[in-house]
Amino acid sequence: MGSTGLSNQVLSNIFYGTFGVPIKVAASSACTNNVIGNQTTGCTPELVSSDLGNAFGYMNT
Amino acid sequence: MAVHIGKSAEYPKDTFPSSTNIQSLLDGGEKVITLGAGSYSLTTALIVPAGVTLRGDGTGTILNWSSAAVITSMVTLNAGSKLENLLIQRSAGTVTNAVLVSGASAALRGVYFSSLRLSVSASMCSVSDCIFNGASAYVLLNSTSAIVSRNLFQSTQVGVYINSANGNLVVDNQLVGYASANYGVHVDGSSDYNIVHANVISNMQGSPGYGVYWPVQPGTV
């Protein structure tokens, strides 16, 4: 399947609690203005993207 | 014209049994079939014709798969049909899809999926104000241009799985995982131009335990 030329988008979501990885997206995708906070254990944010404007709160990784 | 089956506050004198043949009502030419309180046992799949609405009346309506048979889809929605305001569960047998959306512009609203899956295979469909509860309850999008909005995913291993599909919008949902939860939103790598926006995702603690997983550049698979 060929690309449409448009971008996948992960925008303005809130992630809280415990994750393995909150977000993992491809480099060509837009991943902006997400709030990732209050992580507890074992959480390594993995943003493979143009991660503009994402906010990271308290994390104990 | 519309048909109401079963007792309710609005229709206190209706005495149709819960074993009412719903399929015959759906095929009867009425555009809205409303089911009152009760558990309606299904032993054969329901097909909702194009443009027909099947709904509960808000007093507690359950569609229950009670056959020992293996069924692919309990309810199939054709183009422009609607399913509203009821709970779908299984007490026997094996059910692959609680609901299969096979017609364009079909809609689900206020449907509770109890450990069962919704599969969308047609374009321009909408899923709103629904609850997906239990590890096996999730939305599978094989479609284009679907809208999944204002739903609650609770204790699910996967909330929304977009399977090589384009132009879908997943917006304003709450997704709450649990210890074995693997994905809030999982987008297959060949999917392109979907939007995951304004969702609250928490506690995807399984392995790998992703909130949003979308690792492959579109067009490369």
Side-chain angles (χ1 to χ4, degrees):
Chain A
M1 181 183 296
S3 171
T4 62
L6 299 171
S7 174
N8 293 310
Q9 300 177 39
V10 180
L11 309 174
S12 305
N13 300 283
I14 297 172
F15 301 80
Y16 72 91
T18 302
F19 295 88
V21 177
I23 309 174
K24 182 171 183 175
V25 296
S28 63
S29 298
C31 183
T32 62
N33 296 330
N34 297 286
V35 176
I36 305 166
N38 195 29
Q39 310 291 331
T40 53
T41 59
C43 298
T44 303
E46 187 174 353
L47 288 167
V48 186
S49 177
S50 55
D51 51 343
L52 301 174
N54 297 295
F56 293 87
Y58 171 77
M59 275 183 268
N60 179 19
T61 57
Chain B
M1 294 295 291
V3 170
H4 185 282
I5 299 301
K7 290 182 179 180
S8 70
E10 187 177 2
Y11 298 93
K13 295 183 179 179
D14 282 345
T15 56
F16 291 94
S18 61
S19 58
T20 296
N21 187 334
I22 299 172
Q23 188 63 58
S24 67
L25 296 170
L26 292 169
D27 294 335
E30 304 289 352
K31 291 301 181 185
V32 179
I33 306 297
T34 303
L35 304 175
S39 180
Y40 296 79
S41 294
L42 300 181
T43 55
T44 58
L46 287 181
I47 310 295
V48 181
V52 171
T53 295
L54 176 62
R55 68 182 189 182
D57 69 354
T59 59
T61 301
I62 299 171
L63 295 181
N64 178 46
W65 183 256
S66 58
S67 167
V70 176
I71 187 76
T72 301
S73 300
M74 282 177 62
V75 180
T76 298
L77 298 182
N78 283 307
S81 61
K82 296 179 181 177
L83 188 65
E84 299 177 342
N85 213 19
L86 47 76
L87 183 150
I88 301 181
Q89 68 179 26
R90 174 188 69 85
S91 61
T94 300
V95 174
T96 303
N97 302 312
V99 178
L100 171 66
V101 178
S102 65
S105 301
L108 295 96
R109 181 175 182 182
V111 179
Y112 188 117
F113 290 80
S114 180
S115 297
L116 292 172
R117 184 178 82 176
L118 164 64
S119 179
V120 180
S121 297
S123 63
M124 306 291 288
C125 298
S126 67
V127 182
S128 61
D129 301 302
C130 295
I131 295 175
F132 295 83
N133 193 9
S136 303
Y138 68 100
V139 177
L140 170 63
L141 294 178
N142 294 305
S143 57
T144 60
S145 305
I147 297 175
V148 179
S149 178
R150 299 194 314 269
N151 303 288
L152 171 63
F153 299 81
Q154 180 170 279
S155 300
T156 56
Q157 286 190 322
V158 178
V160 179
Y161 183 84
I162 301 178
N163 181 29
S164 300
N166 305 327
N168 297 290
L169 178 60
V170 180
V171 58
D172 196 17
N173 300 284
Q174 296 219 16
L175 302 102
V176 183
Y178 67 116
S180 299
N182 285 324
Y183 303 98
V185 180
H186 184 176
V187 188
D188 182 271
S190 61
S191 301
D192 197 2
Y193 193 45
N194 297 280
I195 296 175
V196 179
H197 173 63
N199 302 285
V200 177
I201 304 174
S202 64
N203 293 332
M204 300 296 164
Q205 302 176 50
S207 178
Y210 287 101
V212 174
Y213 184 71
W214 199 337
V216 180
Q217 185 168 323
T220 60
V221 174

